[in-house]
Amino acid sequence: MRHPYLPILSATLMAAIVGCSEPPGPQPDVLFIVLDNVRADRLAQCGYERPTSPFLDQLCARDLASCSCGAQAPSTWTLPTHASYFTGTEVPQHGTGMGGRTAETVRLAPGTFARPLDDRLPTLAEEFQERGYQTISLSGNPLISPASGLTRGFEVEHHARDFAKLYGERLFRRLEQMLEERDEERPMFLFLNICDAHRPWFGIPPGKHDWLPAREYLSFKQEPGKPNETRRRFVTGEMGAEEREALLERLNDLYDYAVWRADETLGSSLRILRNAGIFEGDFRLVLTSDHGEHLGERSLMGHAGPYLYEEMTRVPVAFFSNEGAKPLPDQMPALNVYDLLLEGEIKRRPLRATAYASDTWPVWYGPEVGDDPSAALWEGSAKTVHHDGEILRYDLSADPLELEPLAWNGEAEVEQLEALLEALAASASSEPPSEEMLELLRSLGYL
Ligand SMILES: [Zn+2]
């Protein structure tokens, strides 16, 4: 497999920034929890009207914890965002997750081919190993595996063999076993991906909650390379109004239940960690999500596409440490989880996201979707997005649902968005970057 050149530069930079020296004082156990596929706006903790997040609410209410509901994920699906979280770099730097069947991509799931994490980029797990940690990864998401490169640096690793295969008791038993077998002579870096909120979504049993009706299981199952028929009829407008409404209600209920289940899994996992004595010593816990989910807004369903709407990018971040937590900003790059994990502090990073064109979305949604990559910038309530050749501006305080975009030609934003897309395209290439590209990367803060 050939690799892009950009990650080599980034790796050199990372080594210079992070260094290999031991930090002073006792080393805390470090816990990194990702609630996969959880939109911030569907958490009670972030103001949602349904009680979907009782355990996260409890965690955020602790004196030693702080939470933000305004983090922006660096991209739109598991692979690129976890690559960012694990390396502290943005998508145009690490190049992970570019789709399509090429010499550089690997098969990660039926019909899913994507470029894995470049093996020359240092990972968080490797950094913790160098600091003398035992590194452990347990993932309910099958994409966080040796095949994707995301588990590099983890001494102990276990991942689901497919979606919805590692959850509930099976996950808890595995977590307990990993904690029982850990090396207590060394501090621990534990990564846990809780995948309950990811499709396929479990049915809601009758009487489960007074705030949710009973619903049947929904998977949107499809043959590789073919659209799911229900989803295709929804997005193409072939579905009648009544059926459309019923599907939207069911979809939203199932997702809320799935988020509630993810939160319940979080509660059980925290209990297991507490029973293992983790919170009696020095510890640092960082929680986030990797991306959101379209639930019918703009006739889109799912994630991993090239759209950077808030329902896709806005995720929670929680920080909990025996040292006490400094308040997290209302608005922050979710990539700050890397800094919180390594140093317990956030560092200043640009607030922006990028997404590769998707090779699956044109199949799901029609050929006009997914041909163009996207980039977005946030500055306060102003959000500027480059997608499908257009540059649009939203005022999120007046228009939180992004329904009234304005054409935008502000020079600074246009220049930066175009440069981001150029850097994204360069990261998809195997050619060495030109002098101009190196200059561009410097101007974006990548070098
Ligand atoms: Zn994910």
Side-chain angles (χ1 to χ4, degrees), residues 160-378:
R161 62 192 155 82
D162 201 351
F163 288 101
K165 296 288 184 209
L166 184 59
Y167 62 92
E169 280 308 313
R170 198 176 294 171
L171 182 83
F172 304 143
R173 275 203 306 276
R174 180 66 73 155
L175 178 59
E176 281 168 341
Q177 185 194 345
M178 285 173 149
L179 291 170
E180 274 164 26
E181 292 173 0
R182 80 184 190 277
D183 176 2
E184 299 205 24
E185 299 298 311
R186 290 185 284 165
M188 172 179 72
F189 171 51
L190 173 76
F191 169 70
L192 174 63
N193 177 293
I194 293 175
C195 210
D196 297 69
H198 197 287
R199 283 193 324 271
W201 293 323
F202 285 39
I204 309 170
K208 181 74 185 172
H209 294 297
D210 57 11
W211 50 275
L212 273 177
R215 295 284 187 192
E216 279 178 27
Y217 171 90
L218 180 68
S219 73
F220 286 132
K221 203 168 170 45
Q222 66 192 64
E223 297 296 315
K226 289 191 182 150
N228 169 275
E229 197 46 23
T230 306
R231 185 157 50 188
R232 188 193 65 76
R233 288 173 49 248
F234 178 88
V235 300
T236 55
E238 282 176 37
M239 189 177 278
E242 207 173 309
E243 189 185 352
R244 190 179 173 87
E245 181 128 335
L247 178 63
L248 280 177
E249 278 182 19
R250 180 176 166 207
L251 192 71
N252 279 275
D253 287 342
L254 287 172
Y255 182 69
D256 288 346
Y257 181 55
V259 171
W260 177 86
R261 287 184 56 237
D263 180 79
E264 194 180 54
T265 299
L266 169 67
S268 300
S269 303
L270 293 176
R271 206 158 38 240
I272 290 166
L273 289 163
R274 186 191 64 202
N275 292 344
I278 302 302
F279 299 123
E280 287 161 27
D282 293 321
F283 67 91
R284 188 180 290 161
L285 184 155
V286 178
L287 174 145
T288 190
S289 176
D290 54 345
H291 51 80
E293 177 84 0
H294 290 291
L295 297 166
E297 301 91 350
R298 290 166 268 272
S299 289
L300 296 172
M301 282 185 180
H303 62 270
Y307 294 101
L308 295 166
Y309 292 111
E310 295 291 290
E311 54 262 28
M312 181 53 49
T313 58
R314 195 157 69 84
V315 294
V317 171
F319 182 55
F320 179 40
S321 158
N322 65 297
E323 292 170 344
K326 299 147 201 83
L328 295 177
D330 290 337
Q331 190 180 43
M332 60 190 284
L335 187 48
N336 275 144
V337 298
Y338 177 85
D339 316 315
L340 288 168
L341 288 161
L342 262 186
E343 309 298 346
E345 304 267 355
I346 58 174
K347 74 174 199 184
R348 199 167 157 72
R349 291 175 179 271
L351 194 50
R352 57 197 185 191
T354 45
Y356 286 115
S358 164
D359 60 323
T360 51
W361 276 44
V363 177
W364 295 353
Y365 295 113
E368 72 281 5
V369 172
D371 293 323
D372 245 0
S374 299
L377 305 170
W378 289 260

Side-chain angles (χ1 to χ4, degrees), residues 379-401:
E379 199 177 342
S381 64
K383 176 177 179 180
T384 322
V385 184
H386 195 320
H387 180 67
D388 271 345
E390 276 188 304
I391 298 186
L392 299 172
R393 175 89 149 185
Y394 300 90
D395 175 358
L396 295 175
S397 60
D399 178 24
L401 300 177

Side-chain angles (χ1 to χ4, degrees), residues 145-167:
S145 68
S148 65
L150 291 172
T151 55
R152 177 159 47 82
F154 285 104
E155 191 178 321
V156 181
E157 181 273 323
H158 184 75
H159 62 274
R161 62 192 155 82
D162 201 351
F163 288 101
K165 296 288 184 209
L166 184 59
Y167 62 92

Side-chain angles (χ1 to χ4, degrees), residues 15 37 55 70 98 102 135 162 175 274 278 296 346 358 418 444:
N37 209 48
F55 289 103
M98 182 195 66
T102 71
T135 52
D162 201 351
L175 178 59
R274 186 191 64 202
I278 302 302
I346 58 174
S358 164
E418 285 177 350
L444 289 166

Side-chain angles (χ1 to χ4, degrees), residues 26-38:
Q27 301 204 83
D29 285 322
V30 178
L31 314 167
F32 182 25
I33 300 179
V34 172
L35 300 179
D36 208 292
N37 209 48
V38 169

